[in-house]
Amino acid sequence: MNKNQVKGHAKEAKGKAKEVAGKVTGNKSTEYKGKAEKQGGKAEAKYGDIKSEIKKSKQ
């Protein structure tokens, strides 16, 4: 795993926690911020996956 994959998965988990907290408390703002953070984490993890695949293909 490269650093982008690790960071992405961490952001994804943090976003999911925020999303759930927002749902439980009824705070739509926190829920939507969590969803956005989760999607950002998924994108960063995917970038890390692609970066890793490129590195593998060059070897």
Side-chain angles (χ1 to χ4, degrees), residues 6-26:
V6 173
K7 281 177 155 181
H9 289 297
K11 282 182 185 177
E12 193 175 342
K14 186 178 169 188
K16 179 66 177 173
K18 249 187 213 180
E19 181 183 354
V20 170
K23 282 183 181 178
V24 169
T25 61

Side-chain angles (χ1 to χ4, degrees), residues 37-50:
E37 190 170 347
K38 185 172 72 170
Q39 292 304 317
K42 282 184 180 182
E44 186 165 358
K46 187 56 123 174
Y47 170 74
D49 293 342
I50 292 167

